[in-house]
Amino acid sequence: MNEFINLTTNQHFISQAEQRLNSCSENLNPSTAKIHRFNIESLDPPSVSIEKPALIARNLAFQELFTLARIGNKERLNLETFFGRYEGPFPEKASNLLKWIDRVKSKSSTEQRKIDLSILDDCDFSLILDDVKFIFKFKFMAGLRNPHQIKRTLANFSYAVNHCPNEIKALELYSSLEKKNKSEEDYICKTYQVSPEEYREWIRLLIFFLYVNEEDKTTLDGFIEEFFTAKELFTSIQVHSFDSECALLTDTGIVIDHDLTYFMNVSKNCIIALRHVDIARDCDARDFSRERKMAFVESCGGKLQGSLFIDDRDILSGYNKICVKTSFKKVFSASDEIVGVSIINRTAKN
């Protein structure tokens, strides 16, 4: 169990890595980098108020949130090792995608605002697809571990609540939560408006999804991979790049617009819109005949379509509005201006 013991007590649920990719600071020193912070004031129409920029090292974190048990005075048994599996590689994966976008843009017409990635000769989208999948895993994990979404997560994955991987170390972690400091647990539950039972179910659900088995895989790995290989789904990936204006980062980890439609902030100037289409349901909605439905499923099932959009301001506006509507209390940005969202005050000091 030693690999799960460390000194971390200030535990981020939105990683410092993704916050720094949205930082308003020129110097991204981990101890001083900041990010613009906004309070949500209304949802319709979306409006926010600006606050003093937040110090990333302390932002979107909570003391002992993922601690299972205290080991002595300083050491903690917690889930940081699980998170590190995805947090560690994320900056490189994001950088790979951003460099690839720059390469595609350099080889395309300056007037071209939408680029079909399937017809590129020298910028093969399949080469970057694994990075996109990894970013999706990372963002999905961020949604799972977000304390503002505990009740929603338990409802969405009710079939897996109180399940545990069939491995000794996983069972030991599962059981160790019984040693959780009660005052810590009570404070967490009060802050996020959940019961002790819901909190423990949530932590154990994280263990279920993130435990690394003997084959170096997690349930989350298999869960996300299935989205891209399932014959009943067609996947659309839209990568949006903005030269100057900035996308919001939410306090809930991932933006879910509708079932199987996800928006992900990769950096201040890049978002991904990923949609999995249930082909059979789509055919039923179009009133296809049985034969046409079977042919459509056969031709599209498990397939993927990718597009790159350059400076689509309408998309950025829509995305920012959805961020405000789906966040818990706050949104964040590298800019003190938000496309599509009203800022009702301008008095916050930097």
Side-chain angles (χ1 to χ4, degrees):
M1 298 284 282
N2 288 339
E3 65 264 43
F4 305 114
I5 296 175
N6 55 70
L7 302 177
T8 306
T9 60
N10 182 49
Q11 297 162 358
H12 284 79
F13 51 88
I14 303 294
S15 75
Q16 295 185 68
E18 57 191 311
Q19 290 189 63
R20 283 195 288 269
L21 284 167
N22 290 271
S23 176
C24 58
S25 300
E26 291 185 11
N27 185 347
L28 294 183
N29 185 309
S31 63
T32 59
K34 295 182 179 181
I35 188 169
H36 284 298
R37 172 174 49 178
F38 305 86
N39 275 322
I40 296 171
E41 300 294 341
S42 77
L43 302 182
D44 191 17
S47 67
V48 298
S49 58
I50 191 169
E51 292 187 293
K52 187 177 180 180
L55 190 65
I56 289 172
R58 294 200 294 264
N59 192 44
L60 297 169
F62 200 84
Q63 291 290 314
E64 313 290 5
L65 180 61
F66 303 111
T67 294
L68 307 180
R70 296 190 181 204
I71 311 296
N73 292 328
K74 295 184 178 181
E75 292 184 324
R76 302 291 190 265
L77 179 67
N78 58 40
L79 304 184
E80 292 297 308
T81 299
F82 289 155
F83 302 149
R85 175 183 175 88
Y86 300 99
E87 287 181 352
F90 172 72
E92 180 181 356
K93 301 292 186 181
S95 177
N96 288 345
L97 179 61
L98 297 176
K99 289 176 182 176
W100 180 85
I101 290 171
D102 287 342
R103 184 173 173 223
V104 173
K105 288 164 65 174
S106 71
K107 293 179 177 296
S108 303
S109 166
T110 55
E111 294 81 22
Q112 201 170 0
R113 299 292 89 186
K114 178 183 177 182
I115 302 168
D116 184 347
L117 301 178
S118 66
I119 62 174
L120 294 176
D121 293 328
D122 197 29
C123 298
D124 190 348
F125 183 60
S126 65
L127 298 178
I128 204 70
L129 182 58
D130 284 344
D131 291 328
V132 172
K133 288 181 181 180
F134 185 92
I135 291 168
F136 187 31
K137 289 178 188 178
F138 172 78
K139 290 292 184 174
F140 206 94
M141 179 201 71
L144 286 175
R145 73 171 180 180
N146 193 283
H148 297 307
Q149 303 212 85
I150 291 176
K151 290 181 183 291
R152 178 177 181 171
T153 298
L154 292 176
N156 287 345
F157 299 99
S158 58
Y159 62 86
V161 169
N162 292 324
H163 284 59
C164 181
N166 187 26
E167 296 194 21
I168 296 298
K169 285 185 179 180
L171 291 167
E172 289 176 351
L173 284 172
Y174 186 99
S175 300
S176 66
L177 191 54
E178 296 301 323
K179 300 175 184 178
K180 175 77 176 178
N181 181 284
K182 188 176 186 307
S183 62
E184 286 174 7
E185 183 177 76
D186 289 345
Y187 186 54
I188 292 168
C189 291
K190 181 180 178 181
T191 301
Y192 296 107
Q193 296 294 293
V194 295
S195 68
E197 180 182 8
E198 288 171 324
Y199 170 72
R200 294 185 178 212
E201 287 177 343
W202 175 60
I203 291 294
R204 287 168 173 159
L205 189 66
L206 293 178
I207 295 172
F208 173 78
F209 270 104
L210 301 177
Y211 183 81
V212 183
N213 62 27
E214 293 179 350
E215 299 177 351
D216 196 36
K217 298 289 184 181
T218 67
T219 299
L220 177 62
D221 292 337
F223 182 79
I224 296 300
E225 191 61 36
E226 181 65 21
F227 277 124
F228 292 89
T229 57
K231 292 300 183 182
E232 65 270 23
L233 297 178
F234 171 80
T235 299
S236 168
I237 298 174
Q238 295 183 0
V239 180
H240 293 269
S241 175
F242 311 100
D243 288 335
S244 56
E245 294 170 317
C246 296
L248 287 176
L249 180 69
T250 75
D251 63 3
T252 52
I254 191 169
V255 178
I256 303 176
D257 187 19
H258 302 290
D259 288 345
L260 301 182
T261 301
Y262 306 91
F263 292 93
M264 295 166 279
N265 173 306
V266 179
S267 74
K268 62 185 179 182
N269 300 126
C270 178
I271 62 173
I272 294 175
L274 190 151
R275 184 177 181 227
H276 301 292
V277 180
D278 186 320
I279 301 172
R281 187 188 301 172
D282 190 54
C283 290
D284 290 340
R286 301 186 193 191
D287 200 26
F288 281 4
S289 66
R290 182 174 180 275
E291 291 76 15
R292 190 177 179 189
K293 178 178 177 180
M294 290 178 64
F296 197 67
V297 170
E298 179 65 26
S299 64
C300 296
K303 301 293 177 59
L304 182 148
Q305 181 184 62
S307 303
L308 172 63
F309 294 79
I310 311 299
D311 275 333
D312 189 326
R313 204 171 191 272
D314 290 339
I315 287 291
L316 181 59
S317 174
Y319 165 80
N320 285 338
K321 289 175 181 177
I322 292 171
C323 283
V324 170
K325 290 179 180 179
T326 58
S327 294
F328 181 67
K329 285 185 177 180
K330 298 179 186 294
V331 289
F332 303 86
S333 179
S335 173
D336 60 0
E337 298 282 350
I338 307 176
V339 176
V341 177
S342 298
I343 301 174
I344 64 175
N345 71 320
R346 280 298 185 191
T347 59
K349 296 180 181 179
N350 291 335

